[in-house]
């Protein structure tokens, strides 16, 4: 990636992060996957449907789903938490 391209990607990522935060979506972190910027967010923007990227253990006997979607030339990623299992006591 050329220096100019890196600058353009960083500027676009910062602009998109600001737009997401203004919409109430928290940007938790970011990185480059070698092709484009990736923003890790707390939840997806409205009308964005993600695809399953991977599953990972959640430490409570379940699995969380890491979702990803393209958004304004970047990749957004967020975690869909598995519902908490509650124990039901017999009467």
């Amino acid at each position: 990636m050329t220096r100019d391209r890196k600058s353009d990607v960083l500027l676009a990522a910062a602009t998109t992060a600001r737009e997401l935060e203004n919409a109430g979506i928290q940007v938790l972190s970011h990185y480059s996957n070698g092709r484009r910027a990736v923003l890790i967010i707390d939840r997806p923007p409205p009308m964005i449907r993600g695809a399953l990227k991977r599953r990972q253990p959640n430490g409570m006997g379940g699995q969380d789903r890491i979702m990803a979607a393209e958004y304004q030339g970047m990749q957004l990623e967020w975690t869909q938490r598995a519902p908490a299992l509650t124990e039901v006591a017999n009467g």
Side-chain angles (χ1 to χ4, degrees):
M1 204 182 283
T2 66
R3 178 174 279 201
D4 289 339
R5 173 78 176 125
K6 287 180 186 177
S7 295
D8 291 344
V9 169
L10 289 173
L11 178 61
T15 301
T16 299
R18 190 174 319 110
E19 290 172 6
L20 290 169
E21 289 178 343
N22 288 340
I25 297 167
Q26 186 176 5
V27 177
L28 305 172
S29 65
H30 65 282
Y31 67 93
S32 173
N33 67 8
R35 294 177 304 219
R36 58 184 163 183
V38 179
L39 300 177
I40 309 299
I41 56 177
D42 65 340
R43 60 189 167 84
M47 308 301 289
I48 297 293
R49 291 185 48 171
L52 179 64
K53 182 176 178 188
R54 71 179 180 278
R55 296 174 197 258
Q56 66 186 30
N58 64 10
M60 296 179 288
Q63 290 191 352
D64 291 338
R65 297 163 37 118
I66 308 303
M67 306 298 289
E70 183 180 355
Y71 184 78
Q72 297 183 1
M74 272 154 247
Q75 181 168 311
L76 300 180
E77 294 182 6
W78 64 94
T79 302
Q80 284 184 342
R81 306 266 180 225
L85 298 175
T86 56
E87 195 172 312
V88 177
N90 290 332

